[in-house]
Amino acid sequence: MSIQELSTEQEVEMITCVIDGFEVTVPKGTLVIRAAEKLGIQIPRFCDHPLLEPAGACRQCLVDIEINGRAFPKPQASCTIPVEKGMVVKTQLTSPVADKAQKGIMELLLINHPLDCPVCDKGGECPLQNQAMSNGRAESRFEGEKRVFEKPVAISSQVLLDRERCVLCARCTRFSEQIAGDPFITLNERGALQQVGIYEDEPFDSYYSGNTVQICPVGALTGTSYRFRARPFDLVSTNSACEHCASGCAMRTDVRRGKTLRRLAGEDSEVNEEWNCDKGRWAFKYEVAKNRVTKPLIRDENGLLQEASWPEALAAAAAGLKNVTAGVLVGGRVTVEDAYGYSKFARVALNTNNIDFRARTHSSEELDFLASTPITATYKDIDKADHVVLINFEPEDESPIIFLRIYKQVKKRAIKVSSIAAFASRGSQKLNANLIKTATGAEVAAINSITGLSSKSVVLVGERAVETPGALSAAAKIIATSGAKLGWIPRRAGEMGALSAGAVPNLLPGNRPLDNASARVDIATVWGSESLPTSTGMSTIEIINSDLQAVVVGGVDPMDISPDAKVKLSKKFIVSFEIRHSDITEIAQVVFPVATVVEKNGSFMDWQGKARKFESAVDQSLNRSDVRILSMLADEIGKPINLPTVKAARNEFESIGNWDGERAAMKATASSEIKSVKADEAFLSSWRNLLDKGSLQDGEENLAGTARQSVVVISQSRANLLSVKESDLVRVSNDYGAVTLPCVIEDIDDSSVHLPRNSIGSQLFRNLGVVSNSIVKVAKA
């Protein structure tokens, strides 16, 4: 157990020992190697990692140990032995025996290690290089031929293996099994033939495979997209935050000559520890896509977008937005500062509350839920939970770090996990979750059936709960009656920040209720406005279906909202803030190019409500953040919002603070009547896989190579009815269209079928016009 995992709530026995002549007192159970670190003594190691269980595989950390005057007969691995009372440890600094043992181990490790350092991706940041210099012999006594393997071996499309570099530390295999729950990589053979490999019929199919590359101490595992691209000393590293989901991962972005070449997981013990998912690690090439919008564009009289100067584009946009009814649609990619800019722009420059960040299926019940129900759960609450309930939420696909934190507690304490879903996903199976099998649309009864929750329980509600009327009301009710902690988990990184910034029709910045006069006065005072619009604004779908004359759109994909959203928006004056050409830029009258995450400063707010600040990784980028352009546009309209920089927006938003007044009670929404289906029909269930056809994953073919296969999930009884077996083609259709995919037979609700929401061959809004909670026909293809 690492020191940071010891609970502060329980009394911990402390142990005093002596290391290299210095006394140190540490909690009972602390490993010798950790106790030495407390004194600043660095013992060389390869297999040891503070978040993995001890293995003692590499033997590089040998030290001399005696307990109460009795010495061990030979040096011991300091990464496997906990400290004890009366223990005296001598490391390589004070023991010639330990020093000789470490040098001998290093010599053995280097016997078959190739001289790849000039070309190895690990060169310059390699623990083997560093420790060979500090704890190795100056010359090798080995005179034979080194072992040679074919190189590299692709264990997945993302990860490459150079077997002769491997020192069999087992970090990769332990991570896969202990942290990710994906034991697809293993140590094969025995003795001198032992090597890392994958199972013959099981590819390295893990959402977390990139972590094995990062923790490999010798460059045996490398990333396909980074291999031979740069050396560490060529890179400029910047601490950053992940833009792909609401987990809130700390990241490190490595840039060379203004181009992002690599992203690594950062360290944050309270959030992602030292891990991240493959999407956060490798999905960054959209930043340099060929279809980047690099200059302002204005649509000419022939209907074609033409490059324009900034003053021309600002004037054209302002002319289209002045003295008209307008709305604002904010995408999930925006930072907190940008969302605050959109919120203030809507109220001050456009004099409207018609603003919504929910570029997805949504409802008025959700607005009521978010305005009235405090979000109280945190990662620490998951670490202490006695029961975690997942409502319309698949953490492995929709917020991967939450999955890792739950899985850690499942392995450590065997906590109870319950999942309300149509079938047990792979993630739910790894969590040993108690499946409350439910057809889409019938979740309310399942939620009401949950019992035994306490103040230590955590209820995690996914954004898909909005697709079932009454589900959020039922969730709020069980939270109120049980005292359990509530977590609301949006899929996109920008949604929690947009909510807090007031980019919704019923809330002002700081979660202030729009219908509260004191809340309006608070904001009007900060903004220097005489008054603010008082009527609740339109939601996303209402803005699209309305007769509004103009809409400002910031990074929204209309096919995430409805199949006809693009057509309806095309009839309005559209001002688009976009990174790349998209469905919205195709219909926009004015397009402004905006900066990506690596090109600007800002912050994302994770699902806990914690801001994750980051700085620009690419210096001297000509692209501007959304809030800067909004401020210039407001000036052009003649109603300034005075947010000329990201820092100005951040300072003003932070000065507002969160609303500490009374929240309105949630108005319960009744559940809809549960429908019945015929034998050839089913309720459609779906969610988005982590790796799919999302636009921020464009350009990374290696990442796409590990996306899970698109399949239709059916029950055994339906398979019998259709006379199909595993992998046969099944057609799912309605009056709008059809999807035909291989089938997988699972223990799914008999009245349901499941399809991925936005994967290859299964983009449901495009193919079926619906995404969930709808009746479809199912037939053998």
Side-chain angles (χ1 to χ4, degrees):
M1 179 184 295
S2 61
I3 294 173
Q4 61 262 36
E5 290 179 342
L6 293 170
S7 173
T8 57
E9 295 182 353
Q10 60 191 44
E11 192 171 329
V12 178
E13 181 182 350
M14 304 300 287
I15 302 290
T16 298
C17 65
V18 177
I19 302 178
D20 287 344
F22 297 95
E23 279 194 356
V24 61
T25 301
V26 293
K28 183 178 181 180
T30 301
L31 299 173
V32 169
I33 199 168
R34 299 281 173 271
E37 289 172 353
K38 297 266 296 179
L39 289 171
I41 297 170
Q42 183 72 11
I43 300 174
R45 83 293 300 269
F46 296 109
C47 69
D48 174 68
H49 191 285
L51 298 177
L52 301 177
E53 294 175 8
C58 72
R59 317 306 292 176
Q60 187 60 56
C61 64
L62 296 177
V63 295
D64 263 348
I65 298 178
E66 65 176 62
I67 300 177
N68 297 324
R70 297 185 61 184
F72 280 78
K74 55 186 178 181
Q76 301 296 307
S78 59
C79 72
T80 61
I81 297 179
V83 296
E84 294 186 22
K85 291 181 180 178
M87 178 179 281
V88 176
V89 179
K90 294 181 180 179
T91 72
Q92 73 278 5
L93 301 180
T94 57
S95 168
V97 174
D99 184 54
K100 181 179 180 181
Q102 290 180 8
K103 288 180 177 177
I105 292 294
M106 181 64 72
E107 187 176 20
L108 289 172
L109 292 177
L110 292 175
I111 281 177
N112 278 308
H113 195 83
L115 190 59
D116 282 353
C117 299
V119 297
C120 178
D121 290 341
K122 203 74 173 180
E125 57 183 9
C126 176
L128 182 61
Q129 270 187 338
N130 298 339
Q131 291 174 167
M133 295 293 292
S134 62
N135 300 90
R137 300 182 189 277
E139 297 181 2
S140 172
R141 292 172 289 177
F142 179 69
E143 297 179 350
E145 292 187 10
K146 289 179 180 286
R147 183 172 55 189
V148 177
F149 288 110
E150 174 192 353
K151 58 188 299 178
V153 174
I155 60 176
S156 76
S157 63
Q158 297 168 167
V159 180
L160 303 175
L161 168 66
D162 290 87
R163 288 172 288 175
E164 68 275 27
R165 296 179 188 171
C166 181
V167 295
L168 302 175
C169 70
R171 276 191 177 188
C172 57
T173 59
R174 284 181 292 150
F175 167 83
S176 297
E177 183 173 357
Q178 297 169 19
I179 306 298
D182 293 324
F184 301 120
I185 183 171
T186 184
L187 291 174
N188 297 328
E189 307 295 346
R190 302 284 289 177
L193 299 177
Q194 192 171 45
Q195 57 186 277
V196 170
I198 57 175
Y199 295 102
E200 186 174 348
D201 298 324
E202 294 276 358
F204 191 22
D205 181 18
S206 173
Y207 284 157
Y208 308 95
S209 64
N211 293 286
T212 64
V213 174
Q214 185 167 340
I215 64 175
C216 177
V218 296
L221 295 174
T222 54
T224 307
S225 62
Y226 179 70
R227 190 174 173 91
F228 302 146
R229 297 293 302 279
R231 309 308 300 272
F233 36 79
D234 294 331
L235 303 173
V236 177
S237 299
T238 306
N239 292 331
S240 58
C242 184
E243 72 271 37
H244 289 292
C245 80
S247 292
C249 293
M251 300 283 291
R252 193 186 95 188
T253 300
D254 291 343
V255 173
R256 182 188 185 196
R257 298 174 185 171
K259 184 177 180 180
T260 303
L261 293 186
R262 181 173 69 170
R263 299 184 77 183
L264 301 175
E267 294 187 24
D268 188 333
S269 61
E270 294 184 357
V271 180
N272 59 307
E273 297 181 318
E274 297 180 23
W275 320 121
N276 74 335
C277 71
D278 290 349
K279 185 176 179 179
R281 182 178 298 269
W282 282 309
F284 58 79
K285 289 190 177 178
Y286 70 90
E287 303 161 3
V288 292
K290 293 181 179 179
N291 63 344
R292 275 295 298 267
V293 179
T294 57
K295 295 181 180 179
L297 303 171
I298 300 175
R299 194 167 300 279
D300 63 18
E301 60 274 9
N302 297 318
L304 300 176
L305 287 175
Q306 302 293 345
E307 290 186 359
S309 67
W310 279 95
E312 289 172 334
L314 290 168
L321 294 173
K322 281 182 181 178
N323 303 317
V324 299
T325 55
V328 179
L329 298 180
V330 185
R333 66 161 174 78
V334 296
T335 61
V336 175
E337 295 78 7
D338 289 340
Y340 180 71
Y342 281 109
S343 176
K344 187 173 181 180
F345 182 84
R347 271 88 186 204
V348 174
L350 301 181
N351 192 36
T352 183
N353 288 312
N354 297 332
I355 179 171
D356 203 345
F357 68 83
R358 299 172 300 162
R360 50 174 172 78
T361 305
H362 53 277
S363 70
S364 58
E365 180 189 11
E366 183 181 33
L367 286 179
D368 196 16
F369 173 79
L370 295 175
S372 62
T373 311
I375 310 299
T376 56
T378 65
Y379 282 113
K380 287 184 178 179
D381 292 318
I382 293 176
D383 292 343
K384 301 173 184 177
D386 58 2
H387 188 182
V388 175
V389 179
L390 310 176
I391 299 176
N392 290 90
F393 177 50
E394 292 294 332
E396 191 176 38
D397 280 303
E398 296 175 308
S399 197
I401 299 305
I402 293 180
F403 170 83
L404 292 187
R405 294 295 285 260
I406 299 174
Y407 183 73
K408 179 179 180 179
Q409 298 307 316
V410 168
K411 284 188 65 71
K412 183 178 176 181
R413 300 188 288 117
I415 65 169
K416 182 179 180 181
V417 179
S418 298
S419 176
I420 296 176
F423 73 107
S425 64
R426 195 169 96 176
S428 292
Q429 292 173 23
K430 288 193 285 185
L431 296 175
N432 295 322
N434 169 43
L435 175 66
I436 305 175
K437 196 189 302 182
T438 310
T440 304
E443 288 92 346
V444 174
I447 296 170
N448 291 334
S449 71
I450 296 172
T451 58
L453 298 182
S454 70
S455 59
K456 284 191 173 183
S457 302
V458 175
V459 177
L460 301 179
V461 181
E463 65 177 34
R464 290 181 290 109
V466 73
E467 296 166 9
T468 299
L472 292 173
S473 298
K477 182 180 178 181
I478 64 168
I479 293 296
T481 56
S482 68
K485 304 290 194 305
L486 171 67
W488 176 70
I489 321 291
R491 196 179 57 82
R492 296 175 172 91
E495 293 205 3
M496 279 298 293
L499 174 65
S500 184
V504 278
N506 66 332
L507 291 176
L508 295 169
N511 296 300
R512 286 168 169 77
L514 179 67
D515 57 5
N516 186 292
S518 297
R520 292 197 302 274
V521 170
D522 282 354
I523 301 302
T525 301
V526 174
W527 288 353
S529 302
E530 292 184 5
S531 63
L532 298 176
T534 58
S535 59
T536 300
M538 297 180 184
S539 67
T540 298
I541 198 66
E542 288 171 341
I543 290 172
I544 292 171
N545 293 333
S546 72
D547 57 1
L548 292 178
Q549 296 162 286
V551 181
V552 176
V553 183
V556 169
D557 183 350
M559 290 307 297
D560 286 339
I561 305 168
S562 69
D564 57 357
K566 180 180 177 182
V567 173
K568 291 180 177 179
L569 284 172
S570 68
K571 299 174 183 178
K572 309 178 191 299
F573 183 88
I574 302 296
V575 178
S576 173
F577 290 68
E578 193 56 270
I579 295 171
R580 302 183 303 162
H581 286 282
S582 66
D583 283 345
I584 291 296
T585 63
E586 288 180 4
I587 61 174
Q589 278 66 47
V590 182
V591 179
F592 291 110
V594 295
T596 62
V597 169
V598 299
E599 297 168 339
K600 63 182 178 182
N601 304 336
S603 61
F604 288 112
M605 188 172 287
D606 66 19
W607 68 277
Q608 308 172 98
K610 179 180 178 182
R612 309 288 310 189
K613 297 178 182 178
F614 59 88
E615 301 298 320
S616 170
V618 177
D619 290 333
Q620 300 176 341
S621 170
L622 297 179
N623 294 313
R624 297 171 170 88
S625 61
D626 298 49
V627 68
R628 289 186 61 190
I629 304 171
L630 287 166
S631 191
M632 292 189 291
L633 181 55
D635 290 342
E636 188 72 23
I637 292 173
K639 297 180 179 179
I641 60 173
N642 300 315
L643 300 175
T645 64
V646 169
K647 185 177 181 180
R650 178 184 298 168
N651 290 342
E652 185 171 293
F653 176 65
E654 290 178 348
S655 73
I656 291 173
N658 283 322
W659 174 246
D660 56 4
E662 186 177 351
R663 289 174 179 254
M666 184 173 181
K667 303 167 187 173
T669 299
S671 59
S672 55
E673 181 182 350
I674 299 177
K675 303 175 184 177
S676 59
V677 292
K678 300 175 183 176
D680 64 342
E681 295 177 335
F683 295 111
L684 177 62
S685 161
S686 75
W687 60 76
R688 291 183 69 143
N689 292 338
L690 180 70
L691 303 180
D692 62 4
K693 290 182 68 65
S695 60
L696 295 190
Q697 299 167 60
D698 288 350
E700 186 44 79
E701 295 179 359
N702 298 315
L703 180 64
T706 56
R708 291 174 185 169
Q709 182 186 7
S710 297
V711 295
V712 52
V713 180
I714 62 175
S715 67
Q716 184 62 61
S717 62
R718 189 173 296 276
N720 295 339
L721 181 67
L722 298 177
S723 299
V724 296
K725 59 182 183 298
E726 194 96 1
S727 300
D728 285 352
L729 294 179
V730 169
R731 185 174 187 268
V732 179
S733 64
N734 59 12
D735 293 339
Y736 189 91
V739 171
T740 301
L741 292 172
C743 72
V744 170
I745 301 171
E746 296 272 7
D747 184 21
I748 188 173
D749 173 74
D750 286 334
S751 64
S752 302
V753 294
H754 177 85
L755 290 170
R757 189 163 291 195
N758 189 42
S759 297
I760 295 175
S762 183
Q763 293 178 275
L764 297 189
F765 264 140
R766 295 182 188 274
N767 302 139
L768 298 176
V770 294
V771 289
S772 192
N773 200 1
S774 178
I775 296 176
V776 292
K777 289 189 175 295
V778 186
K780 182 176 181 180

